[in-house]
Amino acid sequence: DVGMASSAARRKFQRMCKIIEARLDLSAEPTPCLVLGNLGSDLGTTAAQAHAALAGDAVTRVALPIGRPYCVALFESAAAAAVCRARLDGRIDAVTGRLVCAYFLQPAALDLELDYPVSPRAGWPLGVDVVEAFVSEGEAAKLMELIDAQPWEPLAQRRVQHYGFRFNYARRLCDPAPLLMPALFGALIDRIVATLPAVGPRPDQLTVNEYCPGDGIPEHVDAHSAFAGAVAVVSLLAPIVMELRCPAEQRRTDMDVPARSLLLLSGEARYTWTHAIAQRKTDIIDGRLRSRARRVSLTFRAVAVRPCACGHGLCDGPAPGVAAHPPG
């Protein structure tokens, strides 16, 4: 119990409780979701430990947001969550030996905390999901046959193609006139939505990027006001190292994106982290030099119907409280 902890531990525990109470949308009434303080990834808690601490409870999913002092658990019902809260709140967890605080989370906040559990690679931001071998070698060959038969638009560091809608790089918005979306790409969109429903609105815009050795793309965040929902990327021909940065927290991590994989950027990874590909001809993987080869990426997004007003520092929409106007 709380009385069993040292004075220093109790003070630290109380500070952490205040942080959770101030930052999260909590509920005074039981909900199916609990926030469990002192069982977070920044304290070294692993997914296995979190699941073990909840063993025997009717829990359906556990998420450990990166860099947070808490985990979030979704239960079969509000009653099941209440039973777990009564067992753990203000007590020392037998698995980790830590004092735990438990709060009900508002249902409207579930998407922010539970859409993506902690990424399988340490350091990746919340909201990264990678499905390896998403397309077969035969499917990749058919996609490349279609792509290479179409004209390319040259940019400063790479070549691109647009389908569904053309992205206007000067205005950072999509041109209103729709473009053809070939059936092969449409079928791929259907598979993306079926595989990762959290992609959000069904993508209706595709940008194909070609990266030859030495090509890259500057650090950026996909325009908030141009696109709604997640960003889905299918990589063809070759792997690449992508750099992810969180300017607000001064964090950076590198991610090796495999060929034929599906990468989804949502939540924090989509809205508060930038991504980039450095202009170079080699990458270092596990201490070994790997030469780059031609890579083609298919970036699927849903065109937004109104400017974003999320308020994040990287948002290109109007400031909170300022009326949004359509682009002129």
Side-chain angles (χ1 to χ4, degrees):
D1 290 0
V2 174
M4 298 171 59
S6 68
S7 297
R10 284 200 302 271
R11 288 194 297 271
K12 186 175 180 180
F13 175 79
Q14 290 164 355
R15 286 196 300 271
M16 181 201 58
C17 290
K18 290 181 179 178
I19 290 174
I20 292 175
E21 292 167 0
R23 293 183 179 178
L24 298 183
D25 191 8
L26 305 177
S27 172
E29 300 297 324
T31 73
C33 189
L34 285 184
V35 177
L36 300 168
N38 239 8
L39 294 180
S41 63
D42 73 336
L43 301 172
T45 303
T46 66
Q49 288 176 324
H51 280 279
L54 298 169
D57 296 307
V59 64
T60 62
R61 193 168 183 185
V62 180
L64 283 87
I66 292 176
R68 300 292 188 264
Y70 57 81
C71 71
V72 180
L74 181 63
F75 294 81
E76 293 178 357
S77 65
V83 170
C84 180
R85 183 177 185 273
R87 180 174 67 84
L88 288 177
D89 189 37
R91 300 181 183 276
I92 293 179
D93 166 51
V95 176
T96 62
R98 298 196 193 100
L99 195 59
V100 176
C101 58
Y103 299 88
F104 295 112
L105 187 67
Q106 289 283 2
L110 290 180
D111 287 346
L112 297 177
E113 300 296 335
L114 273 178
D115 261 354
Y116 285 88
V118 63
S119 300
R121 304 284 183 90
W124 285 8
L126 190 69
V128 171
D129 205 354
V130 176
V131 180
E132 297 191 26
F134 180 70
V135 296
S136 68
E137 292 184 0
E139 290 171 325
K142 290 181 179 179
L143 289 166
M144 286 307 309
E145 182 179 1
L146 171 61
I147 291 168
D148 279 335
Q150 310 305 315
W152 290 93
E153 176 185 342
L155 298 180
Q157 297 184 18
R158 65 195 190 281
R159 299 194 301 174
V160 300
Q161 298 176 10
H162 297 286
Y163 300 90
F165 293 88
R166 182 187 181 278
F167 181 67
N168 188 311
Y169 293 94
R171 300 173 63 232
R172 288 186 60 77
L173 291 170
C174 287
D175 292 336
L179 303 173
L180 175 69
M181 179 70 77
L184 191 60
F185 295 148
L188 196 57
I189 293 173
D190 292 338
R191 285 181 53 196
I192 292 171
V193 173
T195 303
L196 294 172
V199 69
R202 188 181 190 278
D204 56 3
Q205 192 274 339
L206 165 61
T207 296
V208 179
N209 293 277
E210 179 194 47
Y211 298 93
C212 293
D215 291 344
I217 186 169
E219 180 182 3
H220 70 286
V221 61
D222 285 49
H224 288 202
S225 291
F227 304 109
V231 175
V233 182
V234 175
S235 294
L236 301 178
L237 299 182
I240 199 71
V241 169
M242 184 177 291
E243 300 175 0
L244 304 176
R245 297 177 186 270
C246 181
E249 300 178 10
Q250 296 185 334
R251 293 170 56 194
R252 173 194 163 172
T253 187
D254 290 345
M255 177 170 56
D256 189 23
V257 182
R260 299 190 293 110
S261 68
L262 167 63
L263 165 66
L264 194 72
L265 301 177
S266 183
E268 290 184 10
R270 160 73 171 99
Y271 292 106
T272 66
W273 286 65
T274 65
H275 52 277
I277 295 174
Q279 288 182 282
R280 57 179 182 243
K281 296 184 177 181
T282 58
D283 291 315
I284 298 178
I285 307 297
D286 297 327
R288 297 185 178 182
L289 199 66
R290 183 180 70 194
S291 296
R292 287 187 180 179
R294 184 193 183 205
R295 171 180 176 263
V296 171
S297 69
L298 284 65
T299 301
F300 296 92
R301 297 167 291 202
V303 175
V305 297
R306 62 181 60 88
C308 180
C310 69
H312 289 305
L314 297 175
C315 184
D316 54 6
V322 178
H325 296 281

